[in-house]
Amino acid sequence: MTANSKIANAVYIEFVRLLYTARWPIVVVGCAMLTTGLAVAWQTRDVMMAVIGLTGMAVTLGRLALCFAFDHAVAKRPLDVETAKRWERRLAVGVISTGVCVGAFAVRCFLLSDLAAHMIAGGLVFGYCAGTTTRFSIRPWIVQASLVVSVTPAVGAALWNFDLLHVAQAVLFLLFALGGLELIDYIHATTAEQLTLRAEATRLARADALTNLPNRRHLVEHFNELAKRLARHGESFAVISLDLDFFKEANDRFGHAAGDEILRIVAGRMTDLLADDDLAARIGGDEFVVVQANVSDAAEADDLGRRIVAALSEPYAIAGEAVMLGASFGRALAPADGVTLDELLHKADEALYAVKRNRPGRVREVASGADHAPLVPAIDTLPEHDQTAPAMRPTNADAG
């Protein structure tokens, strides 16, 4: 996932979270429908108005219950994009249902002969449209659907009376609705811009400047979240330490600019292999850490480690040369090997260094006889279970 797509996802998730902060407008609309519906019912002896008012209040209570359910769900697990989409659809059902109730309220009022009821209907429609447009414009499709189901019946019912004042009222409904559509676009665009800038600033503060991978600060935050999930739900995870073989030799031979390019390529290759809940961070030099979420056993972590090592051992096109490096990894599993980041990093590093010490074909110093020659893999064969790529050795030109 690219940085831009991650920012877009973060902005969308924040949009959904903001939708669920609108508690007071929900209460206001529900109470308005209930009190005015009962008042009109009492004044006109129309039972249907009482039913509509009570229905509107029932929808309001359902929406408030949904908000509390959202708070509970988010406290247990942060939102991801797919979960946010489900919560957005649930909220949309509530907003549009309220719009239907408002439209029904207006229709019933305009069918009554009491002009005071007509005035109340107009006030409720205007108030609902203004509040909904202002509060929920961050998701335009929800507001647009709600305006349609509330304003369209009100316009039709006002025209049903077909006198000058009611026609004027219908025109006002339409004008305010069209003005609301423009306001929706403005609020959405402005909010999206602000959230994007905030997300970009947050990302830069938590990213490695060279590789754009998460830095140690982001690693700690992500680890803490997985640790909470482990404590609450028993979801195990793995910490994988990786470093490159022969990176120093390649850096010395081709220069620091080439070394920086290698690190950026490494970051891209690692990211391509990770699931959405996984994280790869650069913690210094050619040292990287991967935190793998939802790991069922050690074999699953080992499989990811081997796939990353294989990807990092592919050639790097640097300065016209096919530079080949190796990579090694060690892993630790939570909670078996620890529950804190320091404990798991220590265990993973121990495993990494044990592999580098004990493997066949240990890394040799690269001779400086031919600076133009690339690094190539050694022909040594490793045991199948070894957690490293083939060791590197100089070419024949280097040796000579």
PDB file of all heavy atoms in Angstrom, residues 104-134:
ATOM      1  N   ALA A 104     -42.465  12.389   6.035  1.00  0.00           N
ATOM      2  CA  ALA A 104     -43.815  11.941   6.390  1.00  0.00           C
ATOM      3  C   ALA A 104     -44.511  12.953   7.292  1.00  0.00           C
ATOM      4  O   ALA A 104     -45.722  13.205   7.154  1.00  0.00           O
ATOM      5  CB  ALA A 104     -43.731  10.575   7.078  1.00  0.00           C
ATOM      6  N   PHE A 105     -43.751  13.544   8.227  1.00  0.00           N
ATOM      7  CA  PHE A 105     -44.290  14.567   9.116  1.00  0.00           C
ATOM      8  C   PHE A 105     -44.831  15.745   8.303  1.00  0.00           C
ATOM      9  O   PHE A 105     -45.949  16.232   8.535  1.00  0.00           O
ATOM     10  CB  PHE A 105     -43.181  15.032  10.068  1.00  0.00           C
ATOM     11  CG  PHE A 105     -43.622  15.954  11.160  1.00  0.00           C
ATOM     12  CD1 PHE A 105     -43.810  15.490  12.442  1.00  0.00           C
ATOM     13  CD2 PHE A 105     -43.842  17.309  10.912  1.00  0.00           C
ATOM     14  CE1 PHE A 105     -44.212  16.344  13.464  1.00  0.00           C
ATOM     15  CE2 PHE A 105     -44.245  18.167  11.921  1.00  0.00           C
ATOM     16  CZ  PHE A 105     -44.431  17.678  13.199  1.00  0.00           C
ATOM     17  N   ALA A 106     -44.026  16.197   7.325  1.00  0.00           N
ATOM     18  CA  ALA A 106     -44.433  17.341   6.516  1.00  0.00           C
ATOM     19  C   ALA A 106     -45.667  17.016   5.680  1.00  0.00           C
ATOM     20  O   ALA A 106     -46.601  17.832   5.578  1.00  0.00           O
ATOM     21  CB  ALA A 106     -43.279  17.769   5.610  1.00  0.00           C
ATOM     22  N   VAL A 107     -45.686  15.845   5.077  1.00  0.00           N
ATOM     23  CA  VAL A 107     -46.824  15.453   4.254  1.00  0.00           C
ATOM     24  C   VAL A 107     -48.107  15.446   5.075  1.00  0.00           C
ATOM     25  O   VAL A 107     -49.147  15.997   4.669  1.00  0.00           O
ATOM     26  CB  VAL A 107     -46.576  14.069   3.619  1.00  0.00           C
ATOM     27  CG1 VAL A 107     -47.865  13.525   2.986  1.00  0.00           C
ATOM     28  CG2 VAL A 107     -45.487  14.159   2.560  1.00  0.00           C
ATOM     29  N   ARG A 108     -48.044  14.832   6.266  1.00  0.00           N
ATOM     30  CA  ARG A 108     -49.260  14.745   7.076  1.00  0.00           C
ATOM     31  C   ARG A 108     -49.720  16.124   7.542  1.00  0.00           C
ATOM     32  O   ARG A 108     -50.928  16.421   7.553  1.00  0.00           O
ATOM     33  CB  ARG A 108     -48.991  13.854   8.303  1.00  0.00           C
ATOM     34  CG  ARG A 108     -50.263  13.494   9.062  1.00  0.00           C
ATOM     35  CD  ARG A 108     -51.198  12.719   8.174  1.00  0.00           C
ATOM     36  NE  ARG A 108     -52.489  12.483   8.823  1.00  0.00           N
ATOM     37  CZ  ARG A 108     -53.521  11.930   8.223  1.00  0.00           C
ATOM     38  NH1 ARG A 108     -53.430  11.563   6.952  1.00  0.00           N
ATOM     39  NH2 ARG A 108     -54.653  11.731   8.875  1.00  0.00           N
ATOM     40  N   CYS A 109     -48.773  16.976   7.915  1.00  0.00           N
ATOM     41  CA  CYS A 109     -49.143  18.328   8.354  1.00  0.00           C
ATOM     42  C   CYS A 109     -49.819  19.106   7.227  1.00  0.00           C
ATOM     43  O   CYS A 109     -50.836  19.795   7.444  1.00  0.00           O
ATOM     44  CB  CYS A 109     -47.914  19.083   8.826  1.00  0.00           C
ATOM     45  SG  CYS A 109     -47.357  18.626  10.483  1.00  0.00           S
ATOM     46  N   PHE A 110     -49.270  19.026   6.008  1.00  0.00           N
ATOM     47  CA  PHE A 110     -49.839  19.784   4.897  1.00  0.00           C
ATOM     48  C   PHE A 110     -51.192  19.248   4.444  1.00  0.00           C
ATOM     49  O   PHE A 110     -51.955  19.958   3.775  1.00  0.00           O
ATOM     50  CB  PHE A 110     -48.862  19.815   3.715  1.00  0.00           C
ATOM     51  CG  PHE A 110     -47.751  20.802   3.878  1.00  0.00           C
ATOM     52  CD1 PHE A 110     -46.427  20.384   3.865  1.00  0.00           C
ATOM     53  CD2 PHE A 110     -48.020  22.151   4.035  1.00  0.00           C
ATOM     54  CE1 PHE A 110     -45.396  21.299   4.012  1.00  0.00           C
ATOM     55  CE2 PHE A 110     -46.993  23.077   4.185  1.00  0.00           C
ATOM     56  CZ  PHE A 110     -45.675  22.651   4.178  1.00  0.00           C
ATOM     57  N   LEU A 111     -51.492  18.015   4.788  1.00  0.00           N
ATOM     58  CA  LEU A 111     -52.803  17.465   4.456  1.00  0.00           C
ATOM     59  C   LEU A 111     -53.867  17.898   5.458  1.00  0.00           C
ATOM     60  O   LEU A 111     -55.073  17.730   5.202  1.00  0.00           O
ATOM     61  CB  LEU A 111     -52.732  15.941   4.393  1.00  0.00           C
ATOM     62  CG  LEU A 111     -51.917  15.351   3.235  1.00  0.00           C
ATOM     63  CD1 LEU A 111     -51.917  13.833   3.304  1.00  0.00           C
ATOM     64  CD2 LEU A 111     -52.439  15.840   1.881  1.00  0.00           C
ATOM     65  N   LEU A 112     -53.434  18.420   6.603  1.00  0.00           N
ATOM     66  CA  LEU A 112     -54.391  18.915   7.600  1.00  0.00           C
ATOM     67  C   LEU A 112     -54.827  20.340   7.236  1.00  0.00           C
ATOM     68  O   LEU A 112     -54.120  21.059   6.518  1.00  0.00           O
ATOM     69  CB  LEU A 112     -53.745  18.909   8.992  1.00  0.00           C
ATOM     70  CG  LEU A 112     -53.323  17.526   9.530  1.00  0.00           C
ATOM     71  CD1 LEU A 112     -52.563  17.687  10.841  1.00  0.00           C
ATOM     72  CD2 LEU A 112     -54.536  16.620   9.719  1.00  0.00           C
ATOM     73  N   SER A 113     -55.943  20.733   7.746  1.00  0.00           N
ATOM     74  CA  SER A 113     -56.475  22.067   7.425  1.00  0.00           C
ATOM     75  C   SER A 113     -55.920  23.165   8.337  1.00  0.00           C
ATOM     76  O   SER A 113     -56.076  24.349   8.055  1.00  0.00           O
ATOM     77  CB  SER A 113     -58.006  22.061   7.531  1.00  0.00           C
ATOM     78  OG  SER A 113     -58.415  21.672   8.849  1.00  0.00           O
ATOM     79  N   ASP A 114     -55.243  22.755   9.394  1.00  0.00           N
ATOM     80  CA  ASP A 114     -54.727  23.723  10.364  1.00  0.00           C
ATOM     81  C   ASP A 114     -53.444  24.361   9.808  1.00  0.00           C
ATOM     82  O   ASP A 114     -52.423  23.688   9.613  1.00  0.00           O
ATOM     83  CB  ASP A 114     -54.436  23.011  11.687  1.00  0.00           C
ATOM     84  CG  ASP A 114     -54.186  23.985  12.834  1.00  0.00           C
ATOM     85  OD1 ASP A 114     -53.558  25.033  12.584  1.00  0.00           O
ATOM     86  OD2 ASP A 114     -54.608  23.684  13.969  1.00  0.00           O
ATOM     87  N   LEU A 115     -53.482  25.685   9.568  1.00  0.00           N
ATOM     88  CA  LEU A 115     -52.314  26.370   9.002  1.00  0.00           C
ATOM     89  C   LEU A 115     -51.137  26.399   9.966  1.00  0.00           C
ATOM     90  O   LEU A 115     -49.974  26.470   9.535  1.00  0.00           O
ATOM     91  CB  LEU A 115     -52.701  27.794   8.604  1.00  0.00           C
ATOM     92  CG  LEU A 115     -53.685  27.912   7.429  1.00  0.00           C
ATOM     93  CD1 LEU A 115     -53.995  29.380   7.143  1.00  0.00           C
ATOM     94  CD2 LEU A 115     -53.130  27.232   6.192  1.00  0.00           C
ATOM     95  N   ALA A 116     -51.424  26.360  11.269  1.00  0.00           N
ATOM     96  CA  ALA A 116     -50.324  26.311  12.237  1.00  0.00           C
ATOM     97  C   ALA A 116     -49.509  25.036  12.054  1.00  0.00           C
ATOM     98  O   ALA A 116     -48.276  25.039  12.201  1.00  0.00           O
ATOM     99  CB  ALA A 116     -50.874  26.397  13.657  1.00  0.00           C
ATOM    100  N   ALA A 117     -50.194  23.933  11.714  1.00  0.00           N
ATOM    101  CA  ALA A 117     -49.480  22.678  11.457  1.00  0.00           C
ATOM    102  C   ALA A 117     -48.591  22.816  10.224  1.00  0.00           C
ATOM    103  O   ALA A 117     -47.473  22.282  10.180  1.00  0.00           O
ATOM    104  CB  ALA A 117     -50.479  21.542  11.263  1.00  0.00           C
ATOM    105  N   HIS A 118     -49.067  23.562   9.212  1.00  0.00           N
ATOM    106  CA  HIS A 118     -48.248  23.783   8.013  1.00  0.00           C
ATOM    107  C   HIS A 118     -46.976  24.548   8.365  1.00  0.00           C
ATOM    108  O   HIS A 118     -45.895  24.261   7.855  1.00  0.00           O
ATOM    109  CB  HIS A 118     -49.053  24.568   6.979  1.00  0.00           C
ATOM    110  CG  HIS A 118     -50.283  23.874   6.515  1.00  0.00           C
ATOM    111  ND1 HIS A 118     -51.021  24.293   5.425  1.00  0.00           N
ATOM    112  CD2 HIS A 118     -50.929  22.766   6.982  1.00  0.00           C
ATOM    113  CE1 HIS A 118     -52.051  23.496   5.252  1.00  0.00           C
ATOM    114  NE2 HIS A 118     -52.019  22.561   6.198  1.00  0.00           N
ATOM    115  N   MET A 119     -47.135  25.549   9.245  1.00  0.00           N
ATOM    116  CA  MET A 119     -45.978  26.342   9.667  1.00  0.00           C
ATOM    117  C   MET A 119     -44.972  25.472  10.422  1.00  0.00           C
ATOM    118  O   MET A 119     -43.751  25.567  10.213  1.00  0.00           O
ATOM    119  CB  MET A 119     -46.439  27.496  10.548  1.00  0.00           C
ATOM    120  CG  MET A 119     -45.312  28.394  11.033  1.00  0.00           C
ATOM    121  SD  MET A 119     -45.921  29.705  12.124  1.00  0.00           S
ATOM    122  CE  MET A 119     -46.480  28.733  13.527  1.00  0.00           C
ATOM    123  N   ILE A 120     -45.474  24.605  11.294  1.00  0.00           N
ATOM    124  CA  ILE A 120     -44.588  23.713  12.048  1.00  0.00           C
ATOM    125  C   ILE A 120     -43.858  22.767  11.102  1.00  0.00           C
ATOM    126  O   ILE A 120     -42.652  22.506  11.257  1.00  0.00           O
ATOM    127  CB  ILE A 120     -45.394  22.931  13.098  1.00  0.00           C
ATOM    128  CG1 ILE A 120     -45.844  23.870  14.214  1.00  0.00           C
ATOM    129  CG2 ILE A 120     -44.569  21.781  13.678  1.00  0.00           C
ATOM    130  CD1 ILE A 120     -46.761  23.227  15.237  1.00  0.00           C
ATOM    131  N   ALA A 121     -44.566  22.255  10.094  1.00  0.00           N
ATOM    132  CA  ALA A 121     -43.931  21.355   9.125  1.00  0.00           C
ATOM    133  C   ALA A 121     -42.786  22.054   8.405  1.00  0.00           C
ATOM    134  O   ALA A 121     -41.694  21.485   8.232  1.00  0.00           O
ATOM    135  CB  ALA A 121     -44.966  20.865   8.122  1.00  0.00           C
ATOM    136  N   GLY A 122     -43.021  23.316   7.981  1.00  0.00           N
ATOM    137  CA  GLY A 122     -41.957  24.055   7.311  1.00  0.00           C
ATOM    138  C   GLY A 122     -40.750  24.263   8.206  1.00  0.00           C
ATOM    139  O   GLY A 122     -39.597  24.091   7.779  1.00  0.00           O
ATOM    140  N   GLY A 123     -41.003  24.601   9.468  1.00  0.00           N
ATOM    141  CA  GLY A 123     -39.883  24.794  10.391  1.00  0.00           C
ATOM    142  C   GLY A 123     -39.084  23.536  10.614  1.00  0.00           C
ATOM    143  O   GLY A 123     -37.839  23.566  10.656  1.00  0.00           O
ATOM    144  N   LEU A 124     -39.775  22.392  10.728  1.00  0.00           N
ATOM    145  CA  LEU A 124     -39.066  21.126  10.948  1.00  0.00           C
ATOM    146  C   LEU A 124     -38.234  20.735   9.737  1.00  0.00           C
ATOM    147  O   LEU A 124     -37.079  20.311   9.874  1.00  0.00           O
ATOM    148  CB  LEU A 124     -40.068  20.024  11.275  1.00  0.00           C
ATOM    149  CG  LEU A 124     -39.446  18.648  11.562  1.00  0.00           C
ATOM    150  CD1 LEU A 124     -38.581  18.699  12.827  1.00  0.00           C
ATOM    151  CD2 LEU A 124     -40.528  17.579  11.713  1.00  0.00           C
ATOM    152  N   VAL A 125     -38.797  20.897   8.536  1.00  0.00           N
ATOM    153  CA  VAL A 125     -38.051  20.541   7.321  1.00  0.00           C
ATOM    154  C   VAL A 125     -36.808  21.405   7.183  1.00  0.00           C
ATOM    155  O   VAL A 125     -35.697  20.897   6.923  1.00  0.00           O
ATOM    156  CB  VAL A 125     -38.955  20.675   6.076  1.00  0.00           C
ATOM    157  CG1 VAL A 125     -38.126  20.516   4.793  1.00  0.00           C
ATOM    158  CG2 VAL A 125     -40.064  19.641   6.109  1.00  0.00           C
ATOM    159  N   PHE A 126     -36.964  22.731   7.355  1.00  0.00           N
ATOM    160  CA  PHE A 126     -35.803  23.615   7.242  1.00  0.00           C
ATOM    161  C   PHE A 126     -34.753  23.295   8.303  1.00  0.00           C
ATOM    162  O   PHE A 126     -33.554  23.237   8.020  1.00  0.00           O
ATOM    163  CB  PHE A 126     -36.239  25.081   7.367  1.00  0.00           C
ATOM    164  CG  PHE A 126     -36.885  25.627   6.137  1.00  0.00           C
ATOM    165  CD1 PHE A 126     -38.144  26.208   6.204  1.00  0.00           C
ATOM    166  CD2 PHE A 126     -36.249  25.570   4.904  1.00  0.00           C
ATOM    167  CE1 PHE A 126     -38.754  26.721   5.069  1.00  0.00           C
ATOM    168  CE2 PHE A 126     -36.856  26.073   3.760  1.00  0.00           C
ATOM    169  CZ  PHE A 126     -38.114  26.645   3.844  1.00  0.00           C
ATOM    170  N   GLY A 127     -35.204  23.097   9.523  1.00  0.00           N
ATOM    171  CA  GLY A 127     -34.261  22.803  10.601  1.00  0.00           C
ATOM    172  C   GLY A 127     -33.526  21.495  10.382  1.00  0.00           C
ATOM    173  O   GLY A 127     -32.300  21.415  10.578  1.00  0.00           O
ATOM    174  N   TYR A 128     -34.263  20.468   9.945  1.00  0.00           N
ATOM    175  CA  TYR A 128     -33.625  19.168   9.720  1.00  0.00           C
ATOM    176  C   TYR A 128     -32.603  19.252   8.596  1.00  0.00           C
ATOM    177  O   TYR A 128     -31.483  18.749   8.723  1.00  0.00           O
ATOM    178  CB  TYR A 128     -34.677  18.117   9.386  1.00  0.00           C
ATOM    179  CG  TYR A 128     -34.062  16.806   8.963  1.00  0.00           C
ATOM    180  CD1 TYR A 128     -33.475  15.961   9.913  1.00  0.00           C
ATOM    181  CD2 TYR A 128     -34.034  16.421   7.628  1.00  0.00           C
ATOM    182  CE1 TYR A 128     -32.884  14.770   9.533  1.00  0.00           C
ATOM    183  CE2 TYR A 128     -33.444  15.229   7.247  1.00  0.00           C
ATOM    184  CZ  TYR A 128     -32.871  14.412   8.192  1.00  0.00           C
ATOM    185  OH  TYR A 128     -32.283  13.224   7.817  1.00  0.00           O
ATOM    186  N   CYS A 129     -32.976  19.883   7.482  1.00  0.00           N
ATOM    187  CA  CYS A 129     -32.060  19.969   6.340  1.00  0.00           C
ATOM    188  C   CYS A 129     -30.806  20.763   6.685  1.00  0.00           C
ATOM    189  O   CYS A 129     -29.690  20.376   6.310  1.00  0.00           O
ATOM    190  CB  CYS A 129     -32.772  20.594   5.147  1.00  0.00           C
ATOM    191  SG  CYS A 129     -34.083  19.570   4.463  1.00  0.00           S
ATOM    192  N   ALA A 130     -30.984  21.866   7.434  1.00  0.00           N
ATOM    193  CA  ALA A 130     -29.819  22.677   7.809  1.00  0.00           C
ATOM    194  C   ALA A 130     -28.884  21.892   8.730  1.00  0.00           C
ATOM    195  O   ALA A 130     -27.657  21.872   8.538  1.00  0.00           O
ATOM    196  CB  ALA A 130     -30.275  23.961   8.490  1.00  0.00           C
ATOM    197  N   GLY A 131     -29.458  21.233   9.736  1.00  0.00           N
ATOM    198  CA  GLY A 131     -28.624  20.485  10.676  1.00  0.00           C
ATOM    199  C   GLY A 131     -27.936  19.305  10.035  1.00  0.00           C
ATOM    200  O   GLY A 131     -26.737  19.059  10.255  1.00  0.00           O
ATOM    201  N   THR A 132     -28.668  18.561   9.215  1.00  0.00           N
ATOM    202  CA  THR A 132     -28.085  17.382   8.562  1.00  0.00           C
ATOM    203  C   THR A 132     -27.001  17.791   7.579  1.00  0.00           C
ATOM    204  O   THR A 132     -25.943  17.163   7.499  1.00  0.00           O
ATOM    205  CB  THR A 132     -29.185  16.582   7.836  1.00  0.00           C
ATOM    206  OG1 THR A 132     -30.175  16.195   8.781  1.00  0.00           O
ATOM    207  CG2 THR A 132     -28.602  15.341   7.180  1.00  0.00           C
ATOM    208  N   THR A 133     -27.261  18.856   6.814  1.00  0.00           N
ATOM    209  CA  THR A 133     -26.261  19.324   5.849  1.00  0.00           C
ATOM    210  C   THR A 133     -24.978  19.748   6.549  1.00  0.00           C
ATOM    211  O   THR A 133     -23.869  19.426   6.110  1.00  0.00           O
ATOM    212  CB  THR A 133     -26.829  20.504   5.035  1.00  0.00           C
ATOM    213  OG1 THR A 133     -27.980  20.063   4.313  1.00  0.00           O
ATOM    214  CG2 THR A 133     -25.790  21.025   4.059  1.00  0.00           C
ATOM    215  N   THR A 134     -25.112  20.455   7.644  1.00  0.00           N
ATOM    216  CA  THR A 134     -23.928  20.943   8.355  1.00  0.00           C
ATOM    217  C   THR A 134     -23.161  19.816   9.023  1.00  0.00           C
ATOM    218  O   THR A 134     -21.926  19.781   8.982  1.00  0.00           O
ATOM    219  CB  THR A 134     -24.351  21.979   9.416  1.00  0.00           C
ATOM    220  OG1 THR A 134     -25.062  23.029   8.784  1.00  0.00           O
ATOM    221  CG2 THR A 134     -23.130  22.553  10.118  1.00  0.00           C
TER     222      THR A 134
END
